[in-house]
Amino acid sequence: MHLPTSTQLQNLLDIATEAALAAGAILQTYLGKLEEIEEKGRPGDLLTAADKASEVAILDVLRRHVPDQPILTEESGQLGTTESEYLWAIDPLDGTTNFAHQYPFFAVSIGLLFAGIPCMGVIFDPFHNELYRAAKGLGATKNRHPIRVSQTTELNKSLLVTGFAYDRRETADNNYAEFCHLTHLTQGVRRSGSASLDLAGVAMGRVDGYWERGISIWDIAAGVVLVEEAGGKVTAYDGSPLQLRSGRILATNGYIHDSISTELGRVSPLTGWENPLVKR
């Protein structure tokens, strides 16, 4: 196995940037003009024409530049060969529910894995015109300027961010208990609705830590590289190496990582909770 060189990673980073900017421009044209919104199965798991058009733009760029590399997208699934060591992981619109409500917190997320490990990522927030880029060994930037994680060293002085999975109505394993527990131990916990921007927030020091369950590879592949290259730490809840397909992630500035990991281990899932909207 030959790891990509810095030159190769820079080239791939530029390709991902081209794709992300093209997709972001399309999202802006759809904002506030959606005519139809679909649900993909679970309540709140939405699909719009903007998702589809953004994905088409990204795939067009990638197929022109790297036609032999496989792609995993939220909307179309696995595309291309399964024999390559590369895998692009794409969310053409991370934060679809926000977008559908014109809540200005959504992004394009384009990550690249090599031999199963995230090695490059681009996240573009077209509403605020914020472009995040990172590649292994090349650092992390926002709008081409270097970024670093925060210096907060105490949990009680930290600001965290998290999210709730689409199946939260059906399962007690839904992050509600962790949200309440860590809210009491910190200066606050925010819920944005976009995992990629949550990770970007950790990378640039807007928040000190992020955890979530029920997420997919395309939600986090780009952001993992961004946090690590900005000096942060990304693992499983218990501090062991991150398993991308586990659906769980803990990302922090590094200083409060062990503290959050310990607290997550102390929380039991909610019991006895019932959704009053679900007929039994």
Side-chain angles (χ1 to χ4, degrees), residues 83-139:
E83 298 176 359
S84 174
E85 291 180 305
Y86 288 99
L87 177 65
W88 293 82
I90 297 166
D91 192 340
L93 174 48
D94 182 25
T96 301
T97 301
N98 288 347
F99 188 89
H101 289 271
Q102 299 181 57
Y103 184 76
F105 210 81
F106 53 87
V108 178
S109 180
I110 301 176
L112 178 63
L113 283 65
F114 184 83
I117 299 173
C119 65
M120 184 279 300
V122 173
I123 299 169
F124 180 47
D125 173 353
F127 190 90
H128 299 99
N129 197 33
E130 293 183 338
L131 175 66
Y132 301 91
R133 305 182 349 136
K136 286 289 187 182
L138 299 181

Side-chain angles (χ1 to χ4, degrees), residues 63-74:
R63 284 167 173 162
R64 281 192 285 108
H65 290 288
V66 285
D68 297 328
Q69 294 180 5
I71 302 169
L72 177 66
T73 80
E74 180 176 12

Side-chain angles (χ1 to χ4, degrees), residues 13-266:
L13 188 61
D14 291 339
I15 292 170
T17 300
E18 178 186 343
L21 292 176
I26 287 174
L27 294 183
Q28 283 288 52
T29 66
Y30 276 94
L31 186 61
K33 301 175 184 177
L34 293 174
E35 296 181 356
E36 184 176 347
I37 301 172
E38 306 172 33
E39 282 194 337
K40 292 189 286 187
R42 295 187 178 117
D45 190 2
L46 307 182
L47 176 64
T48 71
D51 296 78
K52 299 174 184 177
S54 176
E55 182 179 279
V56 168
I58 295 169
L59 294 178
D60 178 66
V61 173
L62 295 185
R63 284 167 173 162
R64 281 192 285 108
H65 290 288
V66 285
D68 297 328
Q69 294 180 5
I71 302 169
L72 177 66
T73 80
E74 180 176 12
E75 308 310 335
S76 297
Q78 180 86 35
L79 303 171
T81 179
T82 59
E83 298 176 359
S84 174
E85 291 180 305
Y86 288 99
L87 177 65
W88 293 82
I90 297 166
D91 192 340
L93 174 48
D94 182 25
T96 301
T97 301
N98 288 347
F99 188 89
H101 289 271
Q102 299 181 57
Y103 184 76
F105 210 81
F106 53 87
V108 178
S109 180
I110 301 176
L112 178 63
L113 283 65
F114 184 83
I117 299 173
C119 65
M120 184 279 300
V122 173
I123 299 169
F124 180 47
D125 173 353
F127 190 90
H128 299 99
N129 197 33
E130 293 183 338
L131 175 66
Y132 301 91
R133 305 182 349 136
K136 286 289 187 182
L138 299 181
T141 63
K142 186 194 95 170
N143 292 345
R144 315 285 177 160
H145 298 288
I147 55 176
R148 296 291 294 178
V149 294
S150 71
Q151 302 297 303
T152 303
T153 59
E154 299 176 43
L155 189 59
N156 65 355
K157 295 181 180 179
S158 69
L159 179 65
L160 308 182
V161 66
T162 191
F164 304 103
Y166 290 121
D167 66 354
R168 61 189 180 274
R169 294 175 173 88
E170 291 84 42
T171 176
D173 185 22
N174 53 27
N175 204 22
Y176 293 164
E178 290 85 351
F179 179 88
C180 293
H181 183 74
L182 285 167
T183 295
H184 290 174
L185 299 177
T186 62
Q187 291 187 346
V189 178
R190 304 291 181 251
R191 191 277 173 108
S192 73
S194 171
S196 63
L197 289 182
D198 290 341
L199 286 162
V202 174
M204 69 169 301
R206 281 179 175 160
V207 292
D208 306 301
Y210 158 74
W211 86 97
E212 192 167 349
R213 63 183 67 195
I215 51 176
S216 301
I217 292 177
W218 50 74
D219 295 316
I220 61 174
V224 166
V225 187
L226 198 70
V227 171
E228 291 178 338
E229 286 297 305
K233 185 175 182 179
V234 183
T235 70
Y237 277 18
D238 62 2
S240 62
L242 176 68
Q243 301 296 320
L244 285 172
R245 296 185 185 276
S246 71
R248 298 192 180 198
I249 185 174
L250 171 60
T252 74
N253 63 5
Y255 298 106
I256 60 171
H257 201 90
D258 290 345
S259 296
I260 297 178
S261 178
T262 297
E263 295 302 333
L264 287 174
R266 290 175 175 168

